[in-house]
Amino acid sequence: MSHPAFCGLSRQHLGELIEELAPRWDARCESVRRERRQGARRRQAGAGPKYELVFADRVLATLVHLRTGLSHEALAVIYEVGSSTIGRAISEIRPLLAERGFAVPDRPGIRLRTLADVFAYAAAENITLRVDGTETQVRRPKAHYPGRRAFVSGKRRQNTIKTTTISDQQGRTLWSGAVRPGRMHDQTAVRTEGIADQLRQHPTVKAEVDEGYRGLANEFPDQISAPPRKPKGIDNALLTERYGWREMRRRQSSNRICVEHANAEHRQGRPLQRYTGRREGYGETHRAIAGLVSDRAAKRATLHKPSTELALVRAMAC
């Protein structure tokens, strides 16, 4: 199961991930045990029943589930344990993956966890961000369920959940989040996350967006670049004018197409092609997969060298 075809990671990447997550998993398990017994340990460390799956197998089972979408029952047959054991392992490891954040190219050890971190990084490195929204089909809520229509996407005419991805000029994921029901507009989702405040705090940061973020482009014309509007009477204008308008749109689209490639990398994880689990868990699953994708993308060669030392906006507790 450690083969890249199953887990989606190279052997080296898998080893580094297990080494990174092991202390956090031990600390979380000890915290749960302490809360359950309401006090300090009464027996020696290691006493009591043992786990059916060792930590490495727990990580592997979670990675295979996120990569291929294999059910708990199928993974239970492979590992010769009960399906509840697989479900418990995934519920323990997936939050750790989601909390890791997103890798920074050429900056090992630094990860971006918030929108403020992304804008601070872009301002320090003079990077033009690419912003785009994507939708994933989810199960239809039950009849008469409160807020049932909130998931109906006006674009896809399906029940979806919407997320927003930010990448650099090479299509490497820097942040992915703003999880909202599919009915919410792309621009509203990122405004809810506070992107307008970040643009005011970092006036040098620029971004390329599509037509869905026209309002942001109108509010921040010096920072946000959206496709040029279609001029009135362009259909009856001279051929050179029509060609010029189309060429401007083509170049703007070419500048931001890399974020579409980043979204395509996320969809290599089967759950993000069509999510069949509980909608409440989609955000955690999406961040876990996007964080793993950012690890691979950050290792791609950079076209420019970093110029400044980075520091996180605020200290993050592990």
Side-chain angles (χ1 to χ4, degrees), residues 34-56:
R34 185 180 181 87
E35 183 178 352
R36 185 169 59 242
R37 63 178 173 251
Q38 298 181 353
R41 179 186 295 277
R42 299 170 186 171
R43 295 188 289 180
Q44 271 190 332
K50 304 299 186 290
Y51 287 108
E52 293 185 76
L53 285 178
V54 297
F55 176 70

Side-chain angles (χ1 to χ4, degrees), residues 53-108:
L53 285 178
V54 297
F55 176 70
D57 284 337
R58 288 171 175 266
V59 174
L60 272 176
T62 304
L63 293 175
V64 171
H65 175 70
L66 294 177
R67 172 72 173 182
T68 66
L70 275 178
S71 65
H72 295 182
E73 290 78 7
L75 288 170
V77 172
I78 294 172
Y79 282 99
E80 298 181 352
V81 295
S83 60
S84 60
T85 301
I86 297 295
R88 186 161 53 250
I90 293 175
S91 66
E92 291 176 358
I93 302 300
R94 188 173 56 192
L96 298 178
L97 294 173
E99 294 167 2
R100 295 175 65 237
F102 304 90
V104 177
D106 301 316
R107 302 288 187 176

Side-chain angles (χ1 to χ4, degrees), residues 46 105 155 179 203 222 231 290 303 314:
K155 178 180 179 180
V179 180
D222 297 331
L303 299 180
R314 57 188 177 88

Side-chain angles (χ1 to χ4, degrees), residues 197-211:
D197 294 336
Q198 295 301 323
L199 287 169
R200 295 189 186 97
Q201 293 176 21
H202 302 87
T204 61
V205 175
K206 301 182 183 300
E208 300 277 351
V209 298
D210 62 8
E211 195 68 40

Side-chain angles (χ1 to χ4, degrees), residues 130 167-171 208-210 225-228 246-261:
R130 273 69 174 174
S167 77
D168 62 5
Q169 70 278 4
Q170 294 179 228
E208 300 277 351
V209 298
D210 62 8
S225 173
R246 292 196 185 100
E247 182 64 15
M248 290 173 62
R249 290 183 64 90
R250 187 196 67 78
R251 291 186 180 183
Q252 199 276 343
S253 176
S254 178
N255 288 336
R256 58 163 297 278
I257 194 63
C258 52
V259 71
E260 302 279 2
H261 299 161

